[in-house]
Amino acid sequence: MPIHRPFTTRRGFLATLSFGAISLYGVWESLDTGAEPAAGASHNGAHDADPAPTAAGHEGHGASDSGTSTKEFERLAREFIARHARADGSVEPLGAAAPISSDDDDMEHGASHGMSHEADAEPDGGDDASVAIDVYLMATQWAYEPAVLHLKAGQPYRFRMMALDASHGASIQLGSGSHVIRLRRGVLVERTMRLEGPGRYLLYCTVYCGAAHDRMSGMIMVS
Amino acid sequence: MTNFGARLSALPHADRVLLKAMIAAALGLLGLGVALGLMTALARAGLIAPEPDQGYAALTLHSTAAFFYWLYLGQSALLLAFAAADHTGPGRIALAPLAWFGFALMLVGFALNAAGTLAGEPLLYDGPPELATESRGAAGIFYLGYIALALGLIGVASAAIATAFAPKLAGRIGAWSTISFGAVVWAGLLVVSALAALNAFLPAAIWAFGGGTLPIDHSVGWHLLFHNMHYLPLIGTLLTWYVLVGELTGVTSLFGSRFSKLVFCLYLVFVPPTSLYHMFLEPGLAPIVRLIGSLLSLFISVPTVAAFLLLIASLEASARARGARGLFGWIGMLPWRDPAMSAIGMAVVNLAIGGALSFVLIQERLAPLLSDTFFVPGYFHFLTIGAVSLTLLAAFCRVIPALNGGQLRLASLLARLPYALTLGLILFGGAGVLAGLRGMPRRVLDAGYDGASPAVWASLSTWLGVGGAIMTLALALYVGTLLVSLMPGRVRPMPTLTPHALSTMTADAALSKPAWSGPLSVIVLVGAMVALTIVAFRLMQSLPIAAIGGGGH
């Protein structure tokens, strides 16, 4: 005589229940349709500085990045620092070089855009919140250049970052949490972001980079 | 003595010597690993201040000893024990010279890892070649250590597979038991891990010794290895639970051997393709890849939850058939005074906590909040120490007396250690997860940044040190007690162990009883995953930083 099995001891029930965690997808969807998570949705452009450019770049945009090296990035970053340096050695970028385009969030777009753009751009005061101001950041063992940045609250900035010697982090501590950024050697990483409130935000390395890794930090002063 | 224990005792002397040697080496490396781990935790807490080179060398050897060598040697010993002692009749380890050679290679591997670390720049356990340009020779020695480990692991796993095949080929058995089948799958996955290690470190070794170019994609190979390293041991964990539950309670699966074998096979299907979430922060990873990675990762829990449900339902239904009352009355019928029982009980708790936390990390949009922070070691210590290591230790509490023919030393202490270890883990892992949510980086000795870091990082680092110290003490007592139990000359007669009598009912009688604990556990687990995910999203949305739509020109 067949026994009566409660559904809790049936194979089919156990097998189905094993997929229970898949239901988390519904939560992800509901969170995705809510308020835009600030850090998670930031523009993430990444361009390998060394390989040949992709065809997805902005044709006719001027100088190509073909073969752009860490040296080229370093040259541009030093020009940026020299142009915007303050007397105390910190940097306060004022020029606007990057009007925001809503359709310009493709990660593959940048292999041929704009490594020489900053050099061509003319400062316009940077007060227009619709225009992102370029910020160059070099990461090396064990320092950032510029080490101290002065930014304006509410102003969009396009961070153009590269690790020159080894992988590094360029993470920003924002009080109750951080915005973590990983940089790989020779890869240009772009993030267009706006810091909403005034404050002193720690810039720190989150990828182990050698003996003085825990000394590698900078500061972003937002006023 | 139980059946499994009796069969282990009946193994040839040489086989028992091999198993004891592997267990002793594994325990020794666990002891070394946790001592060095304590050093780094105390450095973080500000209680000691090692020189950076010393501190990062300690962190490197902590993770290589505890994460690689303890786990691989411990798994190897148990795998061979399961394969050799699963069947009635004369058991023995097949291809024993290969197993010995593999074991020796693994020990050589650790010696090379240690020598490379101490001779050059400490690279941490992932050993990025880009940090070794000034000390390529030492880095090459370090990479050779991992290659020796991988080759040794392939040797031991091959011997285990041959051991499982031997009684079939000799015609002594027909179909494999669930345990032999699971052991073969486990051995296969260990070979996968070994191949992942070769894939990650062979190009680096070639470069270090002057051949080829700097392997710029080393991090991809590492992430594949890391994923395999902390998820594939779960099949060994579940198989060990399966064996120990049978030993401790007499209960085996009520759902048939074929269903159990199918569940073990799920690891082959669901674990390897779910590694993408470790790479969500990599610059250049296409958004569609991140999205697919997130979706695939949702399936990572399927085999573990299935095996857990199978065991829990079998235990609960059997206990109810024996008169257990109430929702959780069956839990009280389990032999909690046995060191192996309390260890696997706490391993279940830790696996649930670590699993719930890991599901926060698999959401690609949360990567900029959590990846590369202390959230990562916060959650994976629950899996590697709280679940896998505790399960290996539970098994050794049974295997060592059987191999040595004597009693376990200080069994009452061992029965309590899992609770102390879990307490330490909750403090360490809890503080680590909270620190990670606040952005505190992993892999730093001093997170003070000359006073520029949030004050909460310092206070959470103190709790990391406290939790780490408790974990270390518990694990040191485990290691010491088990090593003493392994020593010859301190043997007392082994008592006859009677499995807890939950199994005297027929499977049909048990299956007529309801089993609610499994479904309730899944509901609680998924609820925790949902709550943690929402908390992380809300935290991320509250940060004073906003995304702008495009990169612009």
Side-chain angles (χ1 to χ4, degrees), chain B residues 198-256:
Chain B
L198 289 174
N199 174 61
F201 290 106
L202 197 53
I206 292 170
W207 165 80
F209 289 115
T213 57
L214 184 81
I216 57 173
D217 56 350
H218 176 80
S219 65
V220 176
W222 165 256
H223 286 309
L224 289 173
L225 171 62
F226 177 78
H227 178 75
N228 284 313
M229 279 292 299
H230 73 305
Y231 278 108
L232 292 187
L234 288 179
I235 186 174
T237 298
L238 270 298
L239 183 63
T240 305
W241 292 358
Y242 190 93
V243 173
L244 289 179
V245 163
E247 285 287 293
L248 293 162
T249 68
V251 172
T252 53
S253 169
L254 298 176
F255 303 95

Coordinates of all heavy atoms in Angstrom, one line a residue, chain B residues 198-256:
Chain B
L198 N 46.9 26.2 -12.2 CA 47.9 26.2 -13.3 C 47.7 27.3 -14.3 O 48.6 28.0 -14.7 CB 47.9 24.8 -14.0 CG 48.4 23.6 -13.2 CD1 48.2 22.3 -13.9 CD2 49.9 23.8 -12.8
N199 N 46.4 27.5 -14.6 CA 46.0 28.5 -15.6 C 46.4 29.9 -15.1 O 46.9 30.8 -15.8 CB 44.5 28.5 -15.8 CG 44.0 29.6 -16.7 OD1 44.5 29.8 -17.8 ND2 43.2 30.5 -16.1
A200 N 46.3 30.1 -13.7 CA 46.6 31.4 -13.2 C 48.1 31.6 -13.0 O 48.6 32.7 -13.2 CB 45.9 31.5 -11.8
F201 N 48.8 30.6 -12.6 CA 50.2 30.8 -12.2 C 51.3 30.3 -13.2 O 52.5 30.7 -13.0 CB 50.4 30.2 -10.8 CG 49.7 31.0 -9.8 CD1 48.6 30.5 -9.2 CD2 50.2 32.3 -9.4 CE1 47.9 31.3 -8.2 CE2 49.5 33.0 -8.4 CZ 48.3 32.5 -7.8
L202 N 50.9 29.4 -14.1 CA 52.0 29.0 -15.0 C 52.5 30.1 -15.9 O 53.7 30.3 -16.0 CB 51.4 27.8 -15.9 CG 52.4 27.0 -16.6 CD1 53.5 26.4 -15.7 CD2 51.7 25.8 -17.3
P203 N 51.6 31.0 -16.5 CA 52.2 32.1 -17.3 C 53.0 33.0 -16.4 O 54.0 33.5 -16.9 CB 50.9 32.8 -17.8 CG 49.8 31.8 -17.7 CD 50.2 30.9 -16.6
A204 N 52.6 33.2 -15.2 CA 53.4 34.1 -14.3 C 54.7 33.5 -14.0 O 55.7 34.2 -14.0 CB 52.6 34.3 -13.0
A205 N 54.8 32.2 -13.8 CA 56.1 31.6 -13.6 C 57.0 31.6 -14.8 O 58.2 31.9 -14.7 CB 55.9 30.1 -13.2
I206 N 56.4 31.4 -16.0 CA 57.2 31.5 -17.2 C 57.8 32.9 -17.3 O 59.0 33.1 -17.6 CB 56.4 31.1 -18.4 CG1 56.0 29.6 -18.3 CG2 57.1 31.4 -19.7 CD1 55.0 29.2 -19.3
W207 N 57.0 33.9 -17.1 CA 57.4 35.3 -17.2 C 58.5 35.5 -16.1 O 59.6 36.1 -16.4 CB 56.3 36.2 -16.9 CG 56.7 37.6 -16.6 CD1 57.2 38.6 -17.5 CD2 56.9 38.2 -15.3 NE1 57.5 39.7 -16.9 CE2 57.3 39.5 -15.5 CE3 56.6 37.8 -14.0 CZ2 57.6 40.4 -14.4 CZ3 56.8 38.6 -13.0 CH2 57.3 39.9 -13.2
A208 N 58.3 35.0 -14.9 CA 59.3 35.3 -13.8 C 60.6 34.7 -14.1 O 61.7 35.3 -13.7 CB 58.7 34.8 -12.5
F209 N 60.7 33.6 -14.8 CA 62.0 33.0 -15.1 C 62.5 33.4 -16.5 O 63.4 32.8 -17.1 CB 61.9 31.5 -15.0 CG 61.7 31.0 -13.6 CD1 60.6 30.4 -13.1 CD2 62.7 31.3 -12.6 CE1 60.4 30.0 -11.8 CE2 62.6 30.9 -11.3 CZ 61.4 30.3 -10.9
G210 N 61.9 34.5 -17.0 CA 62.5 35.1 -18.2 C 61.9 34.7 -19.5 O 62.4 35.2 -20.6
G211 N 60.9 34.0 -19.5 CA 60.2 33.6 -20.8 C 58.9 34.3 -20.9 O 58.2 34.5 -19.9
G212 N 58.5 34.7 -22.1 CA 57.2 35.3 -22.3 C 57.1 36.7 -21.7 O 58.1 37.3 -21.2
T213 N 56.0 37.3 -21.9 CA 55.7 38.7 -21.5 C 55.0 38.7 -20.2 O 54.4 37.7 -19.8 CB 54.9 39.5 -22.5 OG1 53.7 38.8 -22.8 CG2 55.7 39.6 -23.8
L214 N 54.9 39.9 -19.6 CA 54.2 40.0 -18.3 C 52.7 39.6 -18.6 O 52.1 40.2 -19.4 CB 54.2 41.5 -17.9 CG 53.6 41.8 -16.5 CD1 54.5 41.4 -15.4 CD2 53.2 43.3 -16.4
P215 N 52.2 38.7 -17.8 CA 50.8 38.2 -18.1 C 49.8 39.3 -17.5 O 49.5 39.3 -16.4 CB 50.7 36.9 -17.3 CG 51.8 37.0 -16.3 CD 52.9 37.9 -16.8
I216 N 49.4 40.1 -18.5 CA 48.5 41.3 -18.1 C 47.1 40.8 -17.6 O 46.4 41.6 -17.0 CB 48.4 42.3 -19.2 CG1 47.8 41.7 -20.5 CG2 49.7 43.0 -19.4 CD1 47.5 42.6 -21.5
D217 N 46.7 39.6 -18.0 CA 45.4 39.1 -17.6 C 45.5 38.2 -16.4 O 44.6 37.4 -16.2 CB 44.7 38.4 -18.7 CG 45.5 37.3 -19.3 OD1 46.7 37.2 -18.9 OD2 45.0 36.5 -20.1
H218 N 46.5 38.3 -15.6 CA 46.7 37.5 -14.4 C 45.5 37.5 -13.5 O 45.0 36.5 -12.9 CB 47.9 37.9 -13.7 CG 48.1 37.1 -12.4 ND1 48.7 35.8 -12.3 CD2 47.9 37.4 -11.1 CE1 48.7 35.4 -11.1 NE2 48.2 36.4 -10.3
S219 N 44.9 38.7 -13.3 CA 43.8 38.9 -12.4 C 42.6 38.0 -12.8 O 41.8 37.6 -12.0 CB 43.4 40.4 -12.3 OG 42.9 40.8 -13.5
V220 N 42.4 37.9 -14.1 CA 41.2 37.1 -14.6 C 41.4 35.6 -14.2 O 40.5 34.9 -13.6 CB 41.1 37.1 -16.1 CG1 39.9 36.2 -16.6 CG2 40.8 38.6 -16.5
G221 N 42.6 35.1 -14.4 CA 42.9 33.7 -14.0 C 42.8 33.5 -12.5 O 42.3 32.5 -12.0
W222 N 43.3 34.6 -11.8 CA 43.2 34.5 -10.3 C 41.7 34.4 -9.9 O 41.3 33.6 -9.0 CB 43.9 35.7 -9.6 CG 43.5 35.8 -8.2 CD1 42.6 36.7 -7.7 CD2 43.8 34.9 -7.1 NE1 42.4 36.5 -6.3 CE2 43.2 35.4 -6.0 CE3 44.7 33.8 -7.0 CZ2 43.3 34.8 -4.7 CZ3 44.8 33.2 -5.8 CH2 44.2 33.7 -4.7
H223 N 40.9 35.3 -10.4 CA 39.5 35.3 -10.0 C 38.8 34.0 -10.3 O 38.0 33.5 -9.5 CB 38.7 36.4 -10.7 CG 39.0 37.8 -10.2 ND1 39.0 38.1 -8.8 CD2 39.4 38.9 -10.8 CE1 39.4 39.3 -8.7 NE2 39.6 39.9 -9.8
L224 N 39.1 33.3 -11.4 CA 38.6 32.0 -11.7 C 39.0 31.0 -10.6 O 38.2 30.2 -10.1 CB 39.0 31.5 -13.0 CG 38.4 32.2 -14.2 CD1 39.1 31.8 -15.5 CD2 36.9 31.9 -14.3
L225 N 40.3 31.1 -10.2 CA 40.8 30.2 -9.2 C 40.1 30.4 -7.8 O 39.7 29.5 -7.1 CB 42.3 30.3 -9.1 CG 43.0 29.6 -7.9 CD1 42.8 28.1 -8.0 CD2 44.5 30.0 -7.9
F226 N 40.1 31.7 -7.5 CA 39.5 32.1 -6.2 C 38.1 31.6 -6.1 O 37.7 31.1 -5.0 CB 39.6 33.6 -6.1 CG 39.0 34.2 -4.8 CD1 39.7 34.1 -3.6 CD2 37.7 34.8 -4.8 CE1 39.1 34.6 -2.4 CE2 37.2 35.3 -3.6 CZ 37.9 35.2 -2.4
H227 N 37.3 31.8 -7.1 CA 35.9 31.3 -7.1 C 35.8 29.8 -6.9 O 35.1 29.4 -6.0 CB 35.3 31.7 -8.4 CG 33.8 31.3 -8.5 ND1 32.8 31.9 -7.9 CD2 33.3 30.2 -9.2 CE1 31.7 31.3 -8.2 NE2 31.9 30.3 -9.0
N228 N 36.6 29.1 -7.6 CA 36.7 27.6 -7.4 C 37.1 27.3 -6.0 O 36.6 26.3 -5.4 CB 37.6 27.0 -8.5 CG 36.9 26.9 -9.8 OD1 35.8 26.5 -10.0 ND2 37.7 27.3 -10.8
M229 N 38.1 28.0 -5.5 CA 38.7 27.7 -4.2 C 37.7 27.8 -3.1 O 37.8 27.0 -2.1 CB 39.8 28.6 -3.9 CG 41.1 28.3 -4.6 SD 41.8 26.7 -3.9 CE 42.1 27.1 -2.2
H230 N 36.8 28.7 -3.2 CA 35.9 28.8 -2.0 C 34.5 28.3 -2.2 O 33.7 28.3 -1.3 CB 35.9 30.2 -1.4 CG 35.3 31.3 -2.1 ND1 35.5 31.6 -3.4 CD2 34.3 32.2 -1.8 CE1 34.8 32.7 -3.8 NE2 34.1 33.0 -2.8
Y231 N 34.2 27.9 -3.4 CA 32.9 27.3 -3.6 C 32.9 25.8 -3.9 O 32.1 25.0 -3.4 CB 32.1 27.9 -4.8 CG 31.4 29.2 -4.4 CD1 31.9 30.4 -4.8 CD2 30.3 29.1 -3.5 CE1 31.3 31.6 -4.3 CE2 29.7 30.3 -3.1 CZ 30.2 31.5 -3.5 OH 29.6 32.7 -3.1
L232 N 34.0 25.3 -4.6 CA 34.0 23.9 -4.9 C 34.2 23.0 -3.6 O 33.7 21.9 -3.5 CB 35.1 23.6 -5.9 CG 34.8 24.1 -7.3 CD1 35.8 23.6 -8.3 CD2 33.4 23.7 -7.8
P233 N 35.0 23.5 -2.6 CA 35.0 22.7 -1.4 C 33.7 22.4 -0.7 O 33.6 21.6 0.1 CB 35.9 23.5 -0.4 CG 36.7 24.4 -1.3 CD 35.8 24.7 -2.5
L234 N 32.7 23.2 -1.2 CA 31.4 23.0 -0.6 C 30.8 21.6 -0.9 O 30.1 21.0 -0.1 CB 30.4 24.0 -1.1 CG 30.6 25.4 -0.5 CD1 29.6 26.4 -1.0 CD2 30.5 25.4 1.1
I235 N 31.2 21.0 -2.0 CA 30.8 19.6 -2.3 C 31.4 18.7 -1.3 O 30.7 17.7 -0.8 CB 31.1 19.2 -3.8 CG1 30.4 17.8 -4.0 CG2 32.6 19.2 -4.1 CD1 30.5 17.4 -5.5
G236 N 32.7 18.9 -1.0 CA 33.3 18.1 0.1 C 32.6 18.3 1.4 O 32.4 17.3 2.2
T237 N 32.2 19.5 1.7 CA 31.5 19.8 2.9 C 30.2 19.1 3.0 O 29.9 18.4 4.0 CB 31.3 21.3 3.0 OG1 32.5 22.0 3.0 CG2 30.5 21.7 4.2
L238 N 29.4 19.1 1.9 CA 28.1 18.5 1.9 C 28.3 16.9 2.0 O 27.5 16.3 2.6 CB 27.3 18.9 0.7 CG 26.4 20.1 0.9 CD1 25.3 19.8 1.9 CD2 27.1 21.4 1.2
L239 N 29.3 16.4 1.3 CA 29.5 15.0 1.3 C 29.9 14.5 2.7 O 29.5 13.5 3.2 CB 30.6 14.6 0.3 CG 30.9 13.1 0.1 CD1 29.6 12.4 -0.4 CD2 32.0 12.8 -0.8
T240 N 30.7 15.4 3.3 CA 31.1 15.0 4.7 C 29.9 15.1 5.7 O 29.8 14.2 6.5 CB 32.2 16.0 5.2 OG1 33.3 16.0 4.2 CG2 32.7 15.7 6.5
W241 N 29.1 16.1 5.5 CA 27.8 16.1 6.3 C 27.1 14.8 6.1 O 26.5 14.2 7.0 CB 27.0 17.3 5.9 CG 27.5 18.6 6.3 CD1 28.7 18.9 7.0 CD2 26.9 19.9 6.0 NE1 28.9 20.2 7.1 CE2 27.8 20.9 6.5 CE3 25.8 20.3 5.4 CZ2 27.5 22.2 6.4 CZ3 25.5 21.6 5.3 CH2 26.4 22.6 5.8
Y242 N 27.0 14.4 4.8 CA 26.2 13.2 4.5 C 26.8 12.0 5.2 O 26.1 11.2 5.8 CB 26.3 13.0 3.0 CG 25.4 11.9 2.4 CD1 24.1 12.2 1.9 CD2 25.8 10.6 2.3 CE1 23.3 11.3 1.4 CE2 25.0 9.6 1.8 CZ 23.7 10.0 1.3 OH 22.9 9.0 0.8
V243 N 28.1 11.8 5.2 CA 28.8 10.7 5.9 C 28.6 10.8 7.4 O 28.3 9.8 8.0 CB 30.3 10.7 5.5 CG1 31.0 9.6 6.3 CG2 30.5 10.4 4.0
L244 N 28.9 12.0 7.9 CA 28.8 12.2 9.4 C 27.4 12.0 9.9 O 27.2 11.4 11.0 CB 29.4 13.5 9.8 CG 30.9 13.7 9.6 CD1 31.4 15.1 10.0 CD2 31.7 12.6 10.4
V245 N 26.4 12.5 9.2 CA 25.0 12.3 9.7 C 24.7 10.8 9.8 O 24.1 10.4 10.7 CB 24.1 13.0 8.7 CG1 22.6 12.5 8.9 CG2 24.1 14.5 9.0
G246 N 25.2 10.1 8.8 CA 25.0 8.6 8.8 C 25.7 8.0 10.0 O 25.2 7.1 10.7
E247 N 26.9 8.5 10.3 CA 27.7 7.9 11.4 C 27.1 8.3 12.7 O 27.1 7.5 13.6 CB 29.2 8.5 11.3 CG 30.0 7.9 10.2 CD 30.4 6.5 10.6 OE1 31.2 6.3 11.5 OE2 29.9 5.5 9.9
L248 N 26.7 9.5 12.8 CA 26.3 10.1 14.1 C 24.8 9.7 14.5 O 24.5 9.5 15.6 CB 26.4 11.6 14.1 CG 27.8 12.2 14.0 CD1 27.7 13.6 13.6 CD2 28.4 12.0 15.4
T249 N 24.0 9.5 13.5 CA 22.6 9.3 13.8 C 22.0 8.0 13.1 O 20.9 7.6 13.4 CB 21.7 10.5 13.2 OG1 21.7 10.5 11.8 CG2 22.2 11.8 13.7
G250 N 22.8 7.5 12.2 CA 22.3 6.3 11.5 C 21.4 6.6 10.4 O 20.9 5.8 9.7
V251 N 21.1 7.9 10.2 CA 20.2 8.3 9.1 C 20.9 8.5 7.8 O 21.9 9.2 7.8 CB 19.5 9.7 9.5 CG1 18.6 10.2 8.4 CG2 18.6 9.4 10.7
T252 N 20.4 7.9 6.8 CA 20.9 8.2 5.4 C 19.8 8.8 4.6 O 18.6 8.9 5.1 CB 21.4 7.0 4.7 OG1 20.4 6.0 4.8 CG2 22.6 6.4 5.4
S253 N 20.0 9.3 3.4 CA 19.0 10.0 2.7 C 17.8 9.1 2.5 O 17.8 7.9 2.2 CB 19.6 10.3 1.3 OG 18.5 10.8 0.5
L254 N 16.6 9.7 2.7 CA 15.3 9.0 2.5 C 14.9 9.1 1.1 O 13.9 8.5 0.7 CB 14.3 9.7 3.4 CG 14.5 9.6 4.9 CD1 13.4 10.4 5.6 CD2 14.5 8.2 5.4
F255 N 15.7 9.8 0.3 CA 15.2 10.0 -1.1 C 15.9 9.2 -2.2 O 15.7 9.5 -3.3 CB 15.3 11.5 -1.4 CG 14.6 12.4 -0.4 CD1 15.3 12.9 0.7 CD2 13.3 12.6 -0.5 CE1 14.6 13.7 1.7 CE2 12.6 13.4 0.4 CZ 13.3 13.9 1.5
G256 N 16.7 8.3 -1.7 CA 17.3 7.4 -2.7 C 18.7 7.8 -3.1 O 19.0 9.0 -3.2

